[in-house]
Amino acid sequence: MSGFSFLEQISEQHGALSIIVLANPEEASSAYKCLEKGADDYIILPIRLPVAKNMWSTVWKKKRERRTLDLLYTERAICTEKEKILKDLGQLVTKMGQRRSLETPLSVISRTIDDILGDRENQLPDTVLESLGDIQQLLHTSNIYKPDISQLFNDIEPTNDPLTERWLMEELGFGEAVIEAREGPNWEPSAQLSGLASLKFSVIDKGDESLLPLLLSMFSDLGIVERFNINKDSLRKFLCAVRDSYHNFRHAFDVTQCLYYYLVTGKAMEYLCYIDIFALIVATLIHDIGHPGLNNAFLVATESTLAIRYNDTSPLENFHCCSGWQIITQEGTNIIENLTSGQRAEFRLMLTNTVLSSDPARTVEVISKFEGIMNQYDKTSHSHRLVFGQFLLKCADVSNPVRAFPVSRYWAEMIQSEFFLQGDKERDLGIPISPFMDRDSPEALPRMQISFLDYVVEPLSSRLVAFLPDTNEVLTNLQNNRTTWAKYLENASD
């Protein structure tokens, strides 16, 4: 072993020792090399008295300087690595974080993290990727604003206080309805209903009376009547009461039929339980019940009775939900009288949440919530099924543009007629006429449809098809209809 190797070994194994090298004047270069190998200092022979007196203090100062320099070099290396990580991360965020239409800041963050984690070419350290994964897992929960209730209970003194735990669950809204049956139906529709499970079904040439038997068959074929012991006479009276409460019952049936298409052909039923499906079918039937033909903005602007009653918060949807519940529970039309208390609570939760979320002002919220869970959907999670139910009803409610163009145009013209009536009222009241509600604008219909397709229907439909691939006909029709409406707009502008 050479002297230099021996010096390195001593320095590594006995770092607390102070090593001083003695060297002749002609050996100065060797002394410098000893410093590189771990020596703390060197002294040129012969040793002079002043040097000997100050030798240990000098060595101590140099050891401290070396330690400081080593720390600085280490910190600089760490900073350089962190700067590189941040630069790489910044480039990925810039590259992937361009906001798409109808995306909230939260969904942009979630999608960007997804893209970073899925990019095999990124060179981020494992610790950074693990942390991003933890963040993404939190973002993919539907209860992002709710704390961990189990941790909250652990912090309670005394911890074995069931009364306090129950009170917190109810007072802070952490409780979930009891799930009595998690299995969902898995079947093929009967021959009578096979045509209903298609986007090609059209309601526009059918009378209201002919629709009721189809609805009864839907309930029976889905197994809802038998499973929940629904009195068939009560069900018939319920459907008649709902029909008589609509200004356009065919719209309610149309939305319900589209939901049926999602459930059966799209296989959405595989992600839901029986009680969810029961509640969703009823929710689609009542979601617009008693609609006055005016939108929420008009009701709020004119300080209508409904707007005042519901404090300007989704007045129509609150009204539909309340009116529908009264029919559902009243004598003679009570279709949930044989549900258990747990089933009833879960039925009402799904019904109210889906109807209230049909407010157009909550479209982005519904999309964002569903986008947050769709890649990690858990059927056993009640909150996931609730978000999925809201999404399905929202898609069904705006499904006219994904039908064949003649059907789509029929509904568009019906909606425009209703809009024009509101525009006339606004003109008479001297308040600003709402967009697309001025009958003096010839290009209003195609322009309205193109905007509606681009900013509402497409964001919903693209996510629907991504989750339920068997509904891909939705996007095909949507694209064809947009092309046709664009031609209408071009002709109207000439």
Side-chain angles (χ1 to χ4, degrees), residues 86-144:
L86 288 174
K87 183 179 179 181
D88 291 345
L89 192 57
Q91 290 174 345
L92 284 168
V93 170
T94 301
K95 172 184 172 184
M96 302 171 178
Q98 301 297 321
R99 185 182 297 192
R100 299 168 187 166
S101 62
L102 287 188
E103 275 195 318
T104 63
L106 189 62
S107 61
V108 172
I109 293 171
S110 177
R111 176 175 55 78
T112 302
I113 294 176
D114 270 342
D115 291 343
I116 291 172
L117 294 176
D119 185 358
R120 296 182 179 180
E121 296 181 1
N122 77 62
Q123 299 179 353
L124 299 176
D126 291 341
T127 53
V128 175
L129 294 175
E130 289 174 5
S131 296
L132 289 174
D134 292 340
I135 294 171
Q136 188 65 310
Q137 188 172 0
L138 290 173
L139 292 176
H140 279 163
T141 65
S142 60
N143 294 324
I144 190 169

Side-chain angles (χ1 to χ4, degrees), residues 18 27 72 110-111 170 175-176 196 211 243 260 266 272 280 351 355 376 380:
S18 296
E27 298 174 330
L72 288 174
S110 177
R111 176 175 55 78
E170 295 177 359
E176 285 193 351
L196 273 178
L211 302 178
R243 177 200 61 194
Y260 184 77
L272 297 165
L280 278 171
L351 179 94
V355 173
Q376 298 181 359
T380 64

Side-chain angles (χ1 to χ4, degrees), residues 433-447:
I433 299 177
S434 299
F436 305 120
M437 297 190 182
D438 188 350
R439 65 174 66 251
D440 295 331
S441 177
E443 78 282 359
L445 181 59
R447 189 179 299 278

Side-chain angles (χ1 to χ4, degrees), residues 76-86 123 125:
R76 181 175 294 176
I78 292 173
C79 288
T80 301
E81 181 64 20
K82 286 183 176 179
E83 287 174 0
K84 184 177 183 302
I85 291 172
L86 288 174
Q123 299 179 353

Side-chain angles (χ1 to χ4, degrees), residues 377-486:
Y377 187 84
D378 180 5
K379 180 182 174 179
T380 64
S381 168
H382 181 262
S383 60
H384 281 204
R385 299 199 313 278
L386 193 62
V387 169
F388 186 39
Q390 293 174 327
F391 180 77
L392 285 176
L393 192 146
K394 176 69 72 173
C395 289
D397 194 23
V398 298
S399 62
N400 302 147
V402 303
R403 306 275 189 173
F405 186 75
V407 177
S408 178
R409 179 180 175 179
Y410 165 83
W411 284 114
E413 291 174 345
M414 291 284 289
I415 292 169
Q416 185 185 48
S417 298
E418 194 171 278
F419 278 8
F420 283 167
L421 292 175
Q422 177 174 317
D424 294 341
K425 288 180 180 291
E426 290 170 336
R427 182 181 287 106
D428 293 342
L429 291 171
I431 61 178
I433 299 177
S434 299
F436 305 120
M437 297 190 182
D438 188 350
R439 65 174 66 251
D440 295 331
S441 177
E443 78 282 359
L445 181 59
R447 189 179 299 278
M448 175 184 71
Q449 285 300 298
I450 290 172
S451 299
F452 186 53
L453 267 62
D454 288 347
Y455 298 109
V456 178
V457 184
E458 194 283 330
L460 284 163
S461 300
S462 59
R463 289 158 178 83
L464 175 73
V465 174
F467 194 73
L468 303 175
D470 290 322
T471 62
N472 59 348
E473 184 182 1
V474 163
L475 288 180
T476 302
N477 289 347
L478 183 64
Q479 184 178 1
N480 292 337
N481 290 342
R482 194 198 185 285
T483 300
T484 304
W485 282 119

Side-chain angles (χ1 to χ4, degrees), residues 215-216 219-220 225 230-240 278 285 332-335:
L215 288 172
L216 285 168
F219 275 88
S220 296
V225 174
I230 301 174
N231 182 286
K232 292 185 178 180
D233 187 52
S234 296
L235 179 58
R236 279 191 292 268
K237 290 180 179 178
F238 165 76
L239 293 175
C240 288
F278 182 18
L285 285 170
T333 58
N334 190 336
I335 57 174

Side-chain angles (χ1 to χ4, degrees), residues 100-381:
R100 299 168 187 166
S101 62
L102 287 188
E103 275 195 318
T104 63
L106 189 62
S107 61
V108 172
I109 293 171
S110 177
R111 176 175 55 78
T112 302
I113 294 176
D114 270 342
D115 291 343
I116 291 172
L117 294 176
D119 185 358
R120 296 182 179 180
E121 296 181 1
N122 77 62
Q123 299 179 353
L124 299 176
D126 291 341
T127 53
V128 175
L129 294 175
E130 289 174 5
S131 296
L132 289 174
D134 292 340
I135 294 171
Q136 188 65 310
Q137 188 172 0
L138 290 173
L139 292 176
H140 279 163
T141 65
S142 60
N143 294 324
I144 190 169
Y145 296 110
K146 285 190 178 181
D148 184 352
I149 190 65
S150 60
Q151 182 61 45
L152 180 61
F153 289 156
N154 289 336
D155 294 339
I156 297 174
E157 293 294 343
T159 55
N160 57 344
D161 183 359
L163 185 62
T164 301
E165 290 186 8
R166 203 177 98 193
W167 175 80
L168 281 171
M169 291 286 286
E170 295 177 359
E171 189 72 12
L172 301 182
F174 290 110
E176 285 193 351
V178 178
I179 301 172
E180 302 211 357
R182 284 182 176 164
E183 77 278 13
N186 183 14
W187 55 278
E188 294 294 329
S190 65
Q192 179 188 7
L193 292 184
S194 59
L196 273 178
S198 168
L199 275 184
K200 295 180 175 62
F201 180 89
S202 174
V203 71
I204 61 178
D205 58 349
K206 294 177 174 59
D208 289 355
E209 291 299 326
S210 67
L211 302 178
L212 294 183
L214 292 175
L215 288 172
L216 285 168
S217 297
M218 266 192 237
F219 275 88
S220 296
D221 238 32
L222 284 168
I224 294 172
V225 174
E226 180 179 356
R227 174 167 286 268
F228 298 112
N229 193 23
I230 301 174
N231 182 286
K232 292 185 178 180
D233 187 52
S234 296
L235 179 58
R236 279 191 292 268
K237 290 180 179 178
F238 165 76
L239 293 175
C240 288
V242 170
R243 177 200 61 194
D244 295 341
S245 301
Y246 264 92
H247 73 296
N248 189 344
F249 179 64
R250 283 184 295 174
H251 168 64
F253 182 91
D254 187 66
V255 175
T256 306
Q257 183 271 325
C258 189
L259 174 70
Y260 184 77
Y261 161 72
Y262 296 153
L263 291 172
V264 179
T265 302
K267 299 182 175 61
M269 66 173 67
E270 297 177 5
Y271 301 93
L272 297 165
C273 303
Y274 277 102
I275 194 69
D276 304 323
I277 295 171
F278 182 18
L280 278 171
I281 290 289
V282 176
T284 55
L285 285 170
I286 70 165
H287 82 282
D288 261 353
I289 199 167
H291 199 293
L294 304 165
N295 64 17
N296 281 330
F298 181 89
L299 298 180
V300 171
T302 57
E303 298 185 6
S304 71
T305 302
L306 287 181
I308 299 301
R309 180 186 302 168
Y310 298 111
N311 298 309
D312 298 343
T313 303
S314 304
L316 284 173
E317 289 70 30
N318 274 288
F319 172 66
H320 302 324
C321 203
C322 180
S323 301
W325 188 254
Q326 289 174 344
I327 297 175
I328 292 168
T329 56
Q330 72 184 7
E331 187 176 354
T333 58
N334 190 336
I335 57 174
I336 61 172
E337 59 185 342
N338 293 320
L339 296 185
T340 65
S341 58
Q343 290 171 336
R344 184 185 179 101
E346 193 170 0
F347 175 92
R348 177 164 168 78
L349 189 63
M350 176 67 79
L351 179 94
T352 55
N353 274 268
T354 51
V355 173
L356 292 177
S357 67
S358 66
D359 183 350
R362 294 184 59 184
T363 299
V364 176
E365 174 196 339
V366 170
I367 292 173
S368 298
K369 282 185 175 180
F370 180 66
E371 193 171 46
I373 66 165
M374 59 187 293
N375 293 328
Q376 298 181 359
Y377 187 84
D378 180 5
K379 180 182 174 179
T380 64
S381 168

